[in-house]
Amino acid sequence: MGNNNRSNGLIKWMVVLIDIIVLNVILVQFVHRSPLMSTWMADRIEVFFLVCNLALLASEYRFGTIIHKRMVSAGDVLRRVTEMIVCQTGLSYLLLKVVDLKAPVGWLLLTIAVTFFLTLVVLRLIERLAVKRYRLMGRNTRTMTFVGSDPELQNIYKRLVANPTTGYRLLGYYGEPQNWQFEWLNSLDYFVDNLDHPEKLTFGDEMYVCISRRERDKVRRIANFCDQHMIMFYYVPVSIETMGVRLKRELIDDIEVFSRYQNPLLNPTNKFLKRAFDIVVAILAILVMLPLLPIIAVAIRIQSPGPIFFKQLRTGLDGKFFEMYKFRSMHVNDDADRVQATRDDPRKFPFGNFMRKSNIDELPQFWNVLKGEMSVVGPRPHMLAHTDMYSQLIDKFMVRHFVKPGVTGWAQVTGFRGETHELWQMEGRVKRDIWYMENWSIWLDIRIIWLTFKTFFVHDKNAF
């Protein structure tokens, strides 16, 4: 465990050092190229450099890099960089005013901040890829042992170990022999009986225990064993004891209780923030779309007679209907309101097929966003016939209508876009839509938008 912690610490400090170097390179370039600093004397420049570096160190301490962490998303990294830059810029401004620097520094610091931010975003991408590559080579790994025979351990394996870029390596499991893809070490009784003889056991940096709560004595013994041997202990409830309800742990004095997660978008502040974000993104998207509109319109009319826009009733917030807009990508047909598009759908024309694969056909929905009928990110709205059908087949299907539908969504960027010809596909989509509702943040929206934007250049295999 010690080597693992040291290598993680080394990665973190290397990133901090690179940040400091990058900031100073940017500052040097501004000294030589910015007209705002052309008349500054040497002592003023020295103070400026010192203040900016001190502010960066303080910001690194509070909002330092997290790329060394094993379960971290690109959205988390972007949020961390943004927080650090905002903190560094604000501290620099306040400190410069404290030392009575008379030169106006507001616009200068803002320009430096934008340059620093864009540079760090690219660097974090490169650094994150480098860390993943480093772990693929078998370095900076963290070993783990499973205790138990419950299927929940397979979910842990898929999340932590199956992706080699996380750096986790499973040594095996103690429990009843199962037909699993990882090694069986011995029985649970053998493991518990030999806790006083650790030389007979195999264990790593972390231990995940998934046995019934009724065997609390065993759980307590294993937890104490982990404490004594500096092993991180994690208890995983067995599948039969999970309630299928998302709960949040809270403390009433020293009593542990669990409550339902609330939808973050029920909070008025979050609702206002999301709406403001939607308006800004929608306006920008429409401005980008306007120059393309004549080209798209001509291409549609040449290949398929009929209207430029396709309008259809969809199910929206609180189950209410609204008219959703798209660029028409199919020939006019009588099945549009009841039959999903398929991979080789004869109703599609060539340019329409291209628009669907690149998401261009969805651009008019930003008008729905401005009207308040949709959000940029949210559960995708379904045609009325599918809402009627799936609400009868899938438990909690209608829960996804507690928030506004989106132009794009978490389900669409995680492999559940396109035709749902089997029930499990729609169940997976609903599960992801509800997860999005319960875990919403503005940073999650930004991440989903980025993943959607990439499909303009790397087409989704499920887009047709």
Side-chain angles (χ1 to χ4, degrees):
M1 187 185 298
N3 290 335
N4 174 75
N5 288 338
R6 282 194 292 271
S7 58
N8 265 355
L10 179 61
I11 292 171
K12 180 177 180 180
W13 285 110
M14 284 179 63
V15 172
V16 171
L17 179 61
I18 291 172
D19 288 353
I20 294 172
I21 293 173
V22 168
L23 174 63
N24 283 277
V25 168
I26 291 173
L27 293 179
V28 169
Q29 293 299 312
F30 269 79
V31 167
H32 290 96
R33 299 176 185 274
S34 174
L36 296 174
M37 302 180 72
S38 59
T39 60
W40 284 21
M41 302 297 291
D43 57 342
R44 177 170 287 175
I45 293 174
E46 290 174 0
V47 170
F48 188 76
F49 268 69
L50 177 62
V51 166
C52 287
N53 278 273
L54 288 175
L56 176 61
L57 290 174
S59 302
E60 291 275 7
Y61 177 79
R62 178 62 182 86
F63 300 108
T65 179
I66 54 175
I67 65 166
H68 58 284
K69 294 185 177 180
R70 300 176 190 278
M71 299 301 295
V72 63
S73 69
D76 296 329
V77 174
L78 177 62
R79 176 178 62 187
R80 200 72 166 185
V81 170
T82 304
E83 291 170 340
M84 188 182 75
I85 296 296
V86 170
C87 182
Q88 191 271 340
T89 304
L91 279 176
S92 297
Y93 183 82
L94 292 175
L95 290 173
L96 288 169
K97 290 302 179 181
V98 167
V99 298
D100 197 25
L101 184 62
K102 296 181 180 180
V105 293
W107 283 109
L108 176 62
L109 287 173
L110 183 60
T111 308
I112 291 173
V114 172
T115 306
F116 193 25
F117 172 79
L118 295 176
T119 306
L120 283 194
V121 168
V122 176
L123 271 176
R124 287 293 187 270
L125 175 62
I126 296 172
E127 291 162 350
R128 194 161 175 256
L129 291 174
V131 170
K132 288 184 176 181
R133 181 67 180 171
Y134 187 59
R135 287 170 178 162
L136 279 172
M137 296 166 59
R139 312 297 295 273
N140 188 233
T141 58
R142 192 166 180 84
T143 55
M144 53 199 297
T145 308
F146 288 166
V147 178
S149 310
D150 193 85
E152 287 294 320
L153 290 175
Q154 285 190 295
N155 295 330
I156 299 293
Y157 175 83
K158 292 175 183 177
R159 185 70 184 268
L160 298 182
V161 187
N163 179 3
T165 62
T166 61
Y168 278 105
R169 185 165 60 89
L170 180 61
L171 301 178
Y173 73 100
Y174 290 96
E176 295 299 321
Q178 303 288 332
N179 187 24
W180 289 348
Q181 61 268 55
F182 37 92
E183 182 181 357
W184 178 70
L185 298 173
N186 215 309
S187 68
L188 173 61
D189 289 336
Y190 175 87
F191 178 77
V192 175
D193 291 343
N194 286 281
L195 287 177
D196 294 328
H197 305 281
E199 68 278 1
K200 296 182 180 181
L201 302 175
T202 300
F203 49 86
D205 302 314
E206 299 180 4
M207 188 174 294
Y208 290 78
V209 177
C210 187
I211 59 179
S212 175
R213 295 178 184 177
R214 289 172 293 182
E215 301 190 71
R216 62 181 63 190
D217 290 338
K218 289 182 180 179
V219 175
R220 188 180 296 112
R221 283 196 64 194
I222 296 171
N224 291 336
F225 172 83
C226 290
D227 290 342
Q228 294 167 3
H229 292 83
M230 298 295 292
I231 301 169
M232 291 296 296
F233 171 86
Y234 296 95
Y235 178 74
V236 182
V238 299
S239 53
I240 198 172
E241 292 177 352
T242 59
M243 293 173 285
V245 179
R246 191 171 182 85
L247 299 175
K248 174 176 70 172
R249 177 180 178 272
E250 296 180 355
L251 290 176
I252 300 178
D253 196 7
D254 60 346
I255 302 174
E256 184 180 48
V257 298
F258 293 85
S259 65
R260 286 283 287 181
Y261 271 120
Q262 291 187 352
N263 180 356
L265 288 173
L266 294 178
N267 182 293
T269 302
N270 290 340
K271 189 181 294 185
F272 171 80
L273 180 62
K274 186 169 176 63
R275 182 58 184 153
F277 180 77
D278 283 345
I279 291 173
V280 171
V281 174
I283 290 174
L284 292 175
I286 290 173
L287 291 176
V288 170
M289 180 181 66
L290 286 177
L292 301 175
L293 185 56
I295 301 173
I296 295 172
V298 169
I300 292 174
R301 293 301 294 270
I302 289 175
Q303 295 191 0
S304 177
I308 305 302
F309 297 100
F310 172 73
K311 297 182 288 184
Q312 187 179 63
L313 285 178
R314 298 285 178 105
T315 311
L317 180 66
D318 297 328
K320 297 177 181 178
F321 304 153
F322 73 99
E323 196 171 53
M324 191 188 77
Y325 305 104
K326 299 178 72 172
F327 284 124
R328 186 170 58 85
S329 59
M330 291 184 174
H331 298 297
V332 177
N333 64 92
D334 296 330
D335 295 327
D337 291 334
R338 61 185 183 84
V339 179
Q340 280 185 312
T342 59
R343 185 175 300 277
D344 299 314
D345 201 315
R347 296 176 295 171
K348 294 185 292 185
F349 52 88
F351 184 69
N353 193 42
F354 165 76
M355 288 195 297
R356 296 179 75 93
K357 288 184 175 181
S358 57
N359 290 320
I360 292 174
D361 65 319
E362 311 284 3
L363 289 176
Q365 288 163 42
F366 286 104
W367 178 246
N368 290 112
V369 174
L370 277 183
K371 291 172 65 178
E373 297 165 334
M374 293 180 66
S375 179
V376 175
V377 180
R380 284 295 294 162
H382 291 296
M383 61 180 74
L384 305 189
H386 282 178
T387 299
D388 291 340
M389 179 176 67
Y390 287 117
S391 62
Q392 303 298 319
L393 297 175
I394 299 176
D395 185 32
K396 299 183 181 178
F397 179 84
M398 296 303 293
V399 173
R400 61 199 300 278
H401 298 108
F402 284 139
V403 297
K404 289 181 183 178
V407 179
T408 185
W410 180 241
Q412 282 64 45
V413 299
T414 53
F416 282 82
R417 181 186 176 189
E419 186 183 10
T420 52
H421 58 274
E422 294 186 26
L423 188 61
W424 67 265
Q425 294 171 309
M426 184 58 77
E427 289 173 338
R429 182 181 291 185
V430 171
K431 182 178 179 180
R432 281 160 175 76
D433 287 339
I434 294 175
W435 182 91
Y436 167 79
M437 292 166 52
E438 294 177 335
N439 294 273
W440 176 87
S441 72
I442 199 67
W443 299 105
L444 179 59
D445 277 5
I446 292 172
R447 180 186 178 192
I448 293 171
I449 290 171
W450 165 246
L451 292 172
T452 304
F453 179 74
K454 288 200 301 184
T455 62
F456 280 96
F457 309 99
V458 181
H459 289 173
D460 188 338
K461 65 180 181 180
N462 294 320
F464 45 82

